[in-house]
Amino acid sequence: MKKLTSILMFTFIITVPIFTQQEEEVLPPPIKHIVRMGGAGGFTPFLLFWNVSNLNEAFSVNSPKLTDQPVMLYGGQGYGYIMFIENFRIGGMGAGGSASSTSITGDTRRDLDVTVSMGGVTMEYAIPISERLDIVPGLMLGGGGVNVKIRRDNYGLKIWNDLIAEWGAVESVDNFRRDIDGSFFVYQPSVNIEYAILRWLSFRVGVSYLGMVSPSWKLDEKFDVEGVPSKLNGKGLVINVGLFL
């Protein structure tokens, strides 16, 4: 009996550490806590999918029609992490681009240029997926503009005295140019995916929505313009890419 008890105790002493070791080996490794620090800046082109049909409806039947869809906006962005809120960063961005169209009816040429610009303060929160990969939701608040240039011109030689006479004429003239500027409050919620190619270089791709509200319109930067159609704006879905240093 004593011999059997000794064998059982010896077996227990050997097997317990083995099972304990096996349990420790199957435990998953602890999740590493990642905190982003520092800042970056870079080049960020945007593809703005604005509503071309709505824009064209804002102009007369005989005016040129915009066909560019989407329109390319070129810009940049910079940001820095603030340490008292983990992985939260604040920065700024700006971008702009334009689309043009021309129509010719008889001896009359009409040109239409529409430029969209926007910029403001960015607030973003980085969600680390790994050492190199982040998902970054964010919001941009600021200002933007829509500039409309309309021109009408009759073919022929341009002579200085005739141009000055047209400028001083009381009656309407055939050749003219107008600049109409709209200022908007801009908001842009976004979601981006960022991947660190190197420690000092990262790539971004993302999607956002550019919203424009509360417009104020000016003619030649001096005179108020009333009755501008609400469809004349630059809002729409945006796809962006970027390289950051």
Side-chain angles (χ1 to χ4, degrees):
M1 187 66 179
K2 290 182 178 180
K3 187 176 181 180
L4 177 60
T5 302
S6 300
I7 294 173
L8 291 176
M9 290 183 64
F10 178 75
T11 305
F12 178 78
I13 293 171
I14 294 176
T15 55
V16 167
I18 294 175
F19 283 115
T20 304
Q21 185 178 3
Q22 289 178 348
E23 289 179 358
E24 292 177 354
E25 289 177 353
V26 299
L27 290 176
I31 298 175
K32 185 177 180 180
H33 185 64
I34 301 174
V35 178
R36 301 301 187 200
M37 301 176 64
F43 174 61
T44 53
F46 300 84
L47 278 177
L48 171 61
F49 292 84
W50 59 5
N51 193 322
V52 175
S53 298
N54 279 353
L55 288 170
N56 288 330
E57 287 178 13
F59 302 104
S60 67
V61 177
N62 295 326
S63 66
K65 303 302 179 184
L66 296 173
T67 57
D68 291 345
Q69 175 70 356
V71 62
M72 179 68 77
L73 309 181
Y74 298 97
Q77 179 177 353
Y79 61 80
Y81 287 94
I82 57 175
M83 301 313 298
F84 56 87
I85 301 179
E86 194 172 278
N87 292 336
F88 182 75
R89 65 198 196 194
I90 294 178
M93 64 168 292
S98 63
S100 303
S101 183
T102 300
S103 68
I104 299 175
T105 305
D107 292 333
T108 302
R109 169 176 171 153
R110 294 179 175 88
D111 297 296
L112 170 64
D113 298 325
V114 179
T115 301
V116 178
S117 59
M118 51 88 169
V121 176
T122 60
M123 296 166 285
E124 300 173 316
Y125 184 78
I127 304 173
I129 304 302
S130 69
E131 289 287 350
R132 292 179 178 268
L133 182 65
D134 291 341
I135 296 177
V136 185
L139 176 66
M140 187 271 284
L141 297 174
V146 175
N147 173 262
V148 179
K149 290 184 173 64
I150 53 177
R151 294 184 295 273
R152 187 179 68 194
D153 178 73
N154 292 334
Y155 290 125
L157 294 175
K158 311 303 179 188
I159 301 174
W160 172 257
N161 289 338
D162 293 341
L163 297 176
I164 298 302
E166 290 178 354
W167 182 39
V170 177
E171 69 276 4
S172 61
V173 296
D174 292 328
N175 302 332
F176 72 86
R177 168 178 172 160
R178 295 288 185 270
D179 285 353
I180 306 170
D181 293 290
S183 299
F184 293 79
F185 173 76
V186 168
Y187 61 94
Q188 188 177 11
S190 62
V191 177
N192 297 295
I193 298 174
E194 297 179 356
Y195 181 78
I197 303 171
L198 302 169
R199 291 185 62 86
W200 52 270
L201 178 66
S202 66
F203 173 77
R204 166 194 282 186
V205 61
V207 61
S208 61
Y209 178 79
L210 177 61
M212 291 186 166
V213 295
S214 302
S216 174
W217 293 93
K218 292 285 187 180
L219 172 64
D220 298 331
E221 300 181 354
K222 292 184 178 181
F223 309 104
D224 293 333
V225 181
E226 303 295 336
V228 179
S230 60
K231 295 181 178 180
L232 186 54
N233 57 65
K235 60 185 179 183
L237 180 70
V238 179
I239 296 176
N240 74 90
V241 296
L243 283 176
F244 287 83
L245 300 177

